[in-house]
Amino acid sequence: QAKYKERGTVLAEDQLAQMSKQLDMFKTNLEEFASKHKQEIRKNPKFRVQFQDMCATIGVDPLASGKGFWSEMLGVGDFYYELGVQIIEVCLALKHRNGGLIMLEELHQQVLKGRGKFAQDVSQDDLLRAIKKLKVLGNGFGIIPVGGTYLIQSVPAELNMDHTVVLQLAEKKGYVTVSEIRTSLKWETERAKQVLEHLLKEGMAWLDTQAAGEPQYWLPALFTELYSQEITPEEAKEALP
Amino acid sequence: MDRFAWTSGLLELGETLVIQQRGVRLYDGEEKVKFDSGVLLLSTHRLIWRDQKNHECCIAIPLSQVVFIEEQAAGIGKSAKIVVHLHPASSDKEPGPFQSSKYSYIKLSFKEHGQIEFYRRLSEEMTQRRWETIPTGQTIQVNKDPQAGRIRAVGIVGIERKLEEKRKETDKNISEAFEDLSKLMEKAKEMVELSKSIANKIKEKQGDITEDETIRFKSYLLSMGIANPVTRETYGSGTQYHMQLAKQLAGILQTPLEERGGIMSLTEVYCLVNRARGLELLSPEDLVNACKMLESLKLPLRLRIFDSGVMVIELQSHNEEEMVASALETVSEKGSLTADEFAKLVGMSVLLAKERLLLAEKMGHLCRDDSVEGLRFYPNLFLTQS
């Protein structure tokens, strides 16, 4: 070991010892930070965003493990992991209504309802971060950008670029027709029909053949009227394993 | 500013002038109004403002409308001001320059100084309330319900003030927290750099890293939330922690699995375990990393990943292929079934029901009928009746 040191190369095990020391120091710093600002993180969604962004910039994921310092000392872990459970429950309960697609706004409302009056405030940013973590469970969680907001997918249905683009088109009115797809996206009828049929099969779209003109493909996920509808007891049962 | 009424500016009988000051500008709340240069007069009964350029333009407000007053110190390029908080305008107020205002206060800006003395005299008048005892020649507008009005206005003003204080306090807290956070992140960044350096050395085998030390390193990464940069690993991102967790899970999940036919999706497991824990919850990654170690630790559960990407935990004793045989029976009995129908019949989650039917199809036992009415499975007659 001595001769390596002479050459001026720092060995991995030496650096490891250094890291161990720095880790202890860091833990102390974090404890101090937590004692002063833990409440701020819990109560302030904007501060949480700043915190998350800073972590991302330096290459740290505070939500990777419940055993991480961030989670243990700042309590951020429990906040997001619990939110994950609530998100899964809402999505499961409403899946039969919307085929596993739900607007972020609706998910937000339902989650807030479930949490009750006295729980901490939860922002849409919080939901998105929790959902990103849930992806790893293999249940098909996905985030689809539409019209300035997001559709949240919670089933392992395959949705490719074509499907996503049609969803985005449908977002404006809640429904879409073959003609609209042909005009806006310049697709052949066949391609449009394939996409729409896939959405029908997955239960994400409903067909209205009695509409004036041509059939309309409605997306229940986009029905704003459904937002305020409570989750029924039957639906809630579906959510619990 | 909607509390002001047009006036002649003449003092009434019984009303005495207390002080006056030139060069005063008026604000409706935070907003400047066109009354930018006038003489402000304080009498025993009213505040009167007359335009210096146009003497006909004269407005007044009774002192009984005032709830309380505050001083606002001068700043760079800003005159000293008095903030006057007001009751809502009474319904029988004489007409004035403004019909409505979104503010319940006005500001008097002393562009030619004089704020200090004016404030002192105004405070005195507010204390003495001479307008209550000295009658004046003309009818005085009185709040129909002075008590209620006062309480209501104070309530509103009080709340406004509290909100403002809270906002300032919050802002202060946030900036302090943000500063502390930045410093903390600097230190965290050093740790990230260090860990990258170590990982490189491990890769290039500079020095003798024992297995023990590798394990220690992984746990440091876990603590900091740094992704594991070392690619050669036997247990994924597994650490001692995940090994322990895997053993715990085997204990916790045995019964729930037996109750659910030997199989559960990973999302179900995530919810079950975390609801039971209440505190110190598992992250999704913790769960996945622990489950990846189940098989190698020879525990009685295993992780299985279906083609669709759906991840499940099965009892070792569970044999999904055998379950397929019974699924085939069920489907045959009914002629055909969708995943929903099958799930209801058997008492499974729709997600797992679908996976079972898909597996049966993969094994050749079922055929699908994929239409807009849904995905329906039939016994594979090609196989059985050939």
Side-chain angles (χ1 to χ4, degrees), chain B residues 65-175:
Chain B
Q65 286 283 119
V66 178
V67 179
F68 77 95
I69 57 175
E70 290 177 292
E71 286 186 285
Q72 197 176 316
I76 300 170
K78 290 188 204 275
S79 315
K81 297 180 180 62
I82 299 177
V83 185
V84 185
H85 295 271
L86 302 163
H87 289 296
S90 57
S91 48
D92 55 0
K93 178 185 85 63
E94 302 276 67
F98 289 78
Q99 302 314 312
S100 64
S101 168
K102 61 185 190 208
Y103 297 98
S104 62
Y105 64 98
I106 58 167
K107 289 191 187 184
L108 314 167
S109 178
F110 292 79
K111 302 194 292 187
E112 292 176 28
H113 311 290
Q115 178 258 343
I116 297 173
E117 184 62 13
F118 203 102
Y119 182 81
R120 190 175 73 78
R121 303 306 280 278
L122 182 54
S123 302
E124 256 176 43
E125 290 311 308
M126 293 305 301
T127 313
Q128 291 178 18
R129 305 178 81 83
R130 288 192 275 180
W131 70 84
E132 277 171 3
T133 46
I134 304 170
T136 54
Q138 289 186 16
T139 39
I140 302 166
Q141 273 88 49
V142 175
N143 269 344
K144 288 286 181 245
D145 192 342
Q147 280 298 357
R150 195 163 299 141
I151 293 169
R152 188 175 60 235
V154 166
I156 292 168
V157 164
I159 289 170
E160 261 186 20
R161 225 171 159 213
K162 278 210 185 102
L163 282 177
E164 185 58 38
E165 278 170 13
K166 192 170 179 201
R167 254 197 298 275
K168 286 197 191 129
E169 184 67 35
T170 310
D171 283 342
K172 196 169 75 86
N173 281 346
I174 302 250
S175 43

Side-chain angles (χ1 to χ4, degrees), chain A residues 37 44 61 64-66 89 133, chain B residues 174 180 223 225 275 283 285-286:
Chain A
H37 304 298
N44 191 332
D61 182 1
S65 172
E89 287 173 349
K133 284 289 139 192
Chain B
I174 302 250
D180 287 346
S223 297
R275 272 197 227 105
S283 76
E285 274 152 85
D286 285 336

Side-chain angles (χ1 to χ4, degrees), chain A residues 78-96:
Chain A
D78 279 5
F79 175 80
Y80 286 99
Y81 308 147
E82 190 191 359
L83 193 53
V85 172
Q86 290 162 348
I87 291 169
I88 291 171
E89 287 173 349
V90 168
C91 288
L92 275 180
L94 296 177
K95 190 175 74 168
H96 76 99

Side-chain angles (χ1 to χ4, degrees), chain B residues 262-309:
Chain B
I263 185 170
M264 282 173 77
S265 75
L266 216 54
T267 33
E268 285 178 273
V269 172
Y270 176 78
C271 289
L272 188 90
V273 170
N274 274 340
R275 272 197 227 105
R277 285 174 84 121
L279 287 177
E280 290 179 14
L281 306 182
L282 300 184
S283 76
E285 274 152 85
D286 285 336
L287 183 61
V288 171
N289 288 331
C291 290
K292 283 183 179 165
M293 298 175 91
L294 287 171
E295 196 125 27
S296 54
L297 290 173
K298 310 239 186 301
L299 293 164
L301 323 172
R302 61 166 168 255
L303 175 70
R304 179 177 184 154
I305 306 177
F306 288 114
D307 292 342
S308 59

Side-chain angles (χ1 to χ4, degrees), chain B residues 23-34:
Chain B
V24 175
R25 156 180 232 139
L26 298 182
Y27 284 72
D28 180 23
E30 297 301 319
E31 293 161 19
K32 290 180 182 168
V33 290
K34 59 183 188 241

Side-chain angles (χ1 to χ4, degrees), chain A residues 31 89 113:
Chain A
E31 270 167 354
E89 287 173 349
K113 262 192 226 161

